[in-house]
Amino acid sequence: MKKLIPILAAMAATAFISGCSSVNTVTRAENVGSPNIVNDRRITTDPGLEGNVSVIEVAEGQVSGNLAKIQVTLVNKTRRALTVNYLFEWRDLDGMQVSASSSTWKSLRLMGGEVRSISAVAPTPNAVDFMLKLQEP
Amino acid sequence: MKNRNALVRLVAISGLGLGLLAFSGCQSARYIDSEGTETIVTLDQINIQDWNNAANELVTSLLESGVLERAPEQPVILGISRITNNTMQQVDTDSLVKKIRVDLNKTGKVVTTTTVGLGGRVEDPLAKETAEYQAFMNDQPNPAGAMPQYTLSGKLLEDRSSTGRTRQVTYTFQMTLTEVATGLAVWEDEKQITKQGKRSSVGW
């Protein structure tokens, strides 16, 4: 029993250290680029997830002439690595969902304190609105 | 006494059989969302979500490159060239290419020819034969069909490594868009998907 205690303590310390790998970030003091920020509306059904991972900003742009692009910047507010699943859906001017054959849930691994952007391009020029779904696995 | 033991044994075997039957009856199949998070993840295979993610990332990259926007004619006519499978698996490369074609077609920026193919092998022989028949009946030369302005080629790669009991596999999906007029690769990208585990697992 006496031999087991140090081993368990070492295991616990290792788990604690590996679970708390957080990311230090450096950026330009004042960004040159100025993103086109989108005012967003949020529906929260999992306060636990919202407490761990926050949306910092939502920016929009256009690619290939007439396709909307959305970029959402997330931050892991905890000191441990987290996995978040996310899915972008698109809607047209009539509010109808626009499908894409390869639109699927994706998995994102965020280290502790890490800020990361996820993005999606509209599947058709008619797709003007987006919905981002976030889920903790 | 002997008869009683035999009876007990018979009842036990029957009970076991019924139990197994009932148990296997409960293992019913169910539908799940192909795009959802309940799909099976395996180390030794390219799973459905891997094809979806690779196609999605590559299409996004191509659209963001602006190459299609700069094409002299819209929509761009695309031909499918060689897609090499260098993985250890027997896979149908259309699992990737078709998704890319569908997504590009939906943007309205690309149409894919189905009557011009690598080595004369066309995707839709009926369309080609019908066009040739109509040309013959109208005493016209064989139609060349719409020739592709760009071709899509690619390669699937696999890298395996392991340490201790942990196994890792990386699938690399490489794609190149070549401008036929110049023979130049005007867009290239690759998407890597890495999976790690001790054994095949279910879920995400």
Side-chain angles (χ1 to χ4, degrees):
Chain A
M1 187 63 189
K2 276 183 182 175
K3 280 182 186 171
L4 196 62
I5 289 170
I7 293 169
L8 286 173
M11 282 172 68
T14 307
F16 179 76
I17 290 164
S18 60
C20 289
S21 56
S22 63
V23 173
N24 295 339
T25 309
V26 178
T27 66
R28 191 196 292 268
E30 288 179 23
N31 288 335
V32 176
S34 53
N36 188 13
I37 303 295
V38 177
N39 290 327
D40 59 86
R41 185 163 53 99
R42 301 175 191 188
I43 302 162
T44 303
T45 58
D46 184 354
L49 172 60
E50 197 187 31
N52 292 338
V53 177
S54 275
V55 173
I56 299 176
E57 67 174 26
V58 181
E60 73 175 337
Q62 273 199 337
V63 297
S64 206
N66 57 359
L67 296 171
K69 179 182 177 178
I70 289 291
Q71 177 179 279
V72 178
T73 306
L74 304 170
V75 59
N76 178 358
K77 294 192 287 187
T78 71
R79 288 177 57 81
R80 65 183 194 283
L82 288 173
T83 300
V84 178
N85 296 333
Y86 68 95
L87 172 74
F88 280 97
E89 287 181 354
W90 292 90
R91 291 176 200 283
D92 64 15
L93 277 170
D94 298 322
M96 298 296 161
Q97 188 170 325
V98 181
S99 66
S101 76
S102 60
S103 172
T104 181
W105 281 89
K106 292 180 183 174
S107 187
L108 178 74
R109 185 78 171 159
L110 286 165
M111 304 307 285
E114 187 179 13
V115 177
R116 209 151 150 194
S117 295
I118 52 176
S119 63
V121 172
T124 73
N126 298 330
V128 290
D129 286 325
F130 77 97
M131 183 186 286
L132 170 66
K133 295 176 178 177
L134 294 163
Q135 183 201 48
E136 210 162 19
Chain B
M1 189 64 184
K2 203 173 181 180
N3 282 345
R4 196 179 163 194
N5 282 346
L7 189 65
V8 166
R9 199 173 296 162
L10 185 67
V11 169
I13 291 168
S14 303
L16 188 67
L18 280 170
L20 281 172
L21 196 66
F23 182 71
S24 61
C26 292
Q27 299 295 304
S28 57
R30 65 189 176 110
Y31 286 105
I32 60 158
D33 185 357
S34 305
E35 297 158 3
T37 57
E38 292 180 300
T39 47
I40 293 171
V41 179
T42 55
L43 271 177
D44 299 324
Q45 275 180 299
I46 305 175
N47 301 126
I48 186 170
Q49 61 272 34
D50 302 330
W51 295 117
N52 283 334
N53 283 338
N56 184 263
E57 299 273 337
L58 289 166
V59 167
T60 299
S61 166
L62 177 54
L63 293 172
E64 286 176 344
S65 72
V67 167
L68 301 175
E69 196 186 343
R70 293 194 295 272
E73 287 176 43
Q74 302 280 342
V76 163
I77 301 172
L78 181 71
I80 304 301
S81 186
R82 180 173 291 125
I83 311 292
T84 309
N85 174 21
N86 274 0
T87 69
M88 290 162 66
Q89 299 174 45
Q90 185 82 25
V91 294
D92 188 339
T93 53
D94 251 357
S95 302
L96 178 71
V97 176
K98 191 68 173 181
K99 285 181 196 305
I100 291 174
R101 281 174 55 175
V102 169
D103 283 357
L104 288 176
N105 182 264
K106 281 188 176 178
T107 65
K109 297 177 186 304
V110 175
V111 286
T112 305
T113 174
T114 56
T115 55
V116 177
L118 184 67
R121 285 195 301 272
V122 299
E123 184 179 326
D124 190 343
L126 180 59
K128 187 177 170 65
E129 282 172 21
T130 306
E132 287 171 354
Y133 175 76
Q134 283 173 346
F136 174 76
M137 294 305 282
N138 294 326
D139 206 17
Q140 290 171 341
N142 261 357
M147 298 305 286
Q149 299 151 341
Y150 293 86
T151 58
L152 192 69
S153 58
K155 194 180 269 188
L156 310 182
L157 304 168
E158 179 180 318
D159 176 79
R160 289 175 179 272
S161 51
S162 62
T163 175
R165 289 181 60 215
T166 304
R167 289 159 55 210
Q168 178 177 295
V169 59
T170 299
Y171 296 108
T172 305
F173 305 83
Q174 297 179 333
M175 281 285 151
T176 302
L177 188 76
T178 302
E179 189 179 30
V180 171
T182 60
L184 298 174
V186 289
W187 168 81
E188 292 180 279
D189 207 347
E190 68 173 20
K191 164 74 178 166
Q192 287 187 320
I193 291 176
T194 301
K195 298 191 267 191
Q196 202 178 74
K198 289 186 170 54
R199 58 192 172 92
S200 300
S201 55
V202 176
W204 280 38

